[in-house]
């Protein structure tokens, strides 16, 4: 069986090809292969310098970040290891990570650079 992408509307795995279109039988959404390429390209997350980030990368914070509930801020130059990317976050924080001294938190990719 060919590798047919999930539906971008409802994430159904039962999509199929119909000529030049991909079709979702659950929500009746139809899209082309070029639209699928645009969808996949928009899922890339880049750092403040435009470098593409991936799960497991190490990044460095580029500016001091205030954290609610803490007296101190995350200082610029702080190294964050083993990040996990969040595609299409609701609040704009697209990196999930653990920072020593702060614990688990989310960061915005615009405030980090790839190490």
């Amino acid at each position: 069986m060919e590798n047919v992408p999930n539906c971008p509307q409802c994430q159904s795995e039962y999509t199929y090809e119909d000529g030049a279109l991909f079709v979702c039988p659950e929500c009746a959404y139809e899209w082309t292969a070029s639209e699928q390429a645009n969808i996949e390209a928009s899922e890339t997350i880049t750092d403040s310098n435009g470098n593409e980030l991936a799960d497991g990368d190490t990044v460095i914070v580029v500016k001091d970040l205030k954290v609610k509930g803490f007296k101190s801020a995350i200082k610029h130059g702080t190294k964050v290891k083993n990040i996990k990317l969040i595609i299409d976050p609701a609040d704009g924080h697209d990196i999930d990570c653990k920072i020593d001294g702060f614990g688990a938190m989310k960061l915005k990719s615009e405030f980090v650079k790839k190490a």
Side-chain angles (χ1 to χ4, degrees), residues 20-92:
L21 294 174
F22 293 112
V23 180
C24 176
E26 292 186 11
C27 69
Y29 183 70
E30 298 179 351
W31 70 103
T32 63
S34 63
E35 290 173 0
Q36 181 64 31
N38 291 339
I39 292 167
E40 290 171 359
S42 69
E43 291 180 353
T44 60
I45 296 175
T46 57
D47 67 1
S48 61
N49 295 332
N51 299 319
E52 188 173 332
L53 297 173
D55 286 345
D57 280 350
T58 299
V59 295
I60 298 172
V61 178
V62 296
K63 71 177 250 179
D64 290 352
L65 301 173
K66 294 180 183 178
V67 181
K68 289 182 182 178
F70 285 90
K71 291 182 180 181
S72 61
I74 299 172
K75 300 292 183 189
H76 90 287
T78 302
K79 188 178 277 192
V80 182
K81 298 178 182 177
N82 199 20
I83 64 170
K84 179 165 178 16
L85 300 178
I86 303 169
I87 304 299
D88 294 329
D91 58 358

